[in-house]
Amino acid sequence: QLQLVEFGGGLVQPGGSVRLSCVASGSDFSIYAMSWYRQTPGMQREFVAGITSGDLANYAGSVKGRFNISRDNTKGTVYLQMNNLKPEDTAVYLCRSRRPYSDGRDDSWGQGTQVTVSS
């Protein structure tokens, strides 16, 4: 399993941009599928974007065209570039790793980083 730590959150104005980083420690980062989720108080955790070990990316409809997920296996890091931010993007953003062929029971999660979009 990996240990995950997120960085890069903060206060951003509407229309602005921010890049989140999720740094993993542990072995074989390159084989893991990595994802970003977000959560607001009282709401279920929501999928934002994911990237496979083969660099295939997918996005939630609400962020498609605005967010971009990428990974650097040499640094054990997955990024989330967030552009044209909206107030409804305000949330705690969490990183998740999943091993190949896993059913999710041993997924690892980071502690999350707060992104607040407000003028």
Side-chain angles (χ1 to χ4, degrees):
Q1 285 184 327
L2 301 177
Q3 290 75 51
L4 307 174
V5 180
E6 299 95 338
F7 299 94
L11 176 63
V12 188
Q13 289 192 338
S17 298
V18 69
R19 188 175 80 158
L20 306 182
S21 302
C22 171
V23 180
S25 57
S27 300
D28 300 324
F29 172 80
S30 64
I31 70 172
Y32 285 77
M34 303 298 296
S35 302
W36 286 96
Y37 284 72
R38 63 189 181 187
Q39 189 160 25
T40 54
M43 300 293 288
Q44 276 195 323
R45 200 166 282 183
E46 174 191 26
F47 171 79
V48 175
I51 187 166
T52 69
S53 58
D55 270 347
L56 293 176
N58 65 313
Y59 300 90
S62 59
V63 307
K64 212 167 193 177
R66 300 188 298 124
F67 291 10
N68 184 69
I69 187 171
S70 61
R71 64 191 297 161
D72 185 339
N73 291 336
T74 66
K75 296 181 179 178
T77 302
V78 61
Y79 303 98
L80 185 67
Q81 178 67 42
M82 307 163 63
N83 300 321
N84 191 20
L85 283 160
K86 304 175 182 180
E88 53 263 41
D89 295 317
T90 296
V92 174
Y93 284 74
L94 304 106
C95 178
R96 187 200 75 182
S97 65
R98 177 167 289 184
R99 292 188 299 108
Y101 311 111
S102 169
D103 61 4
R105 280 180 287 182
D106 60 350
D107 287 350
S108 290
W109 292 86
Q111 84 290 347
T113 185
Q114 176 72 45
V115 174
T116 301
V117 184
S118 174
S119 54

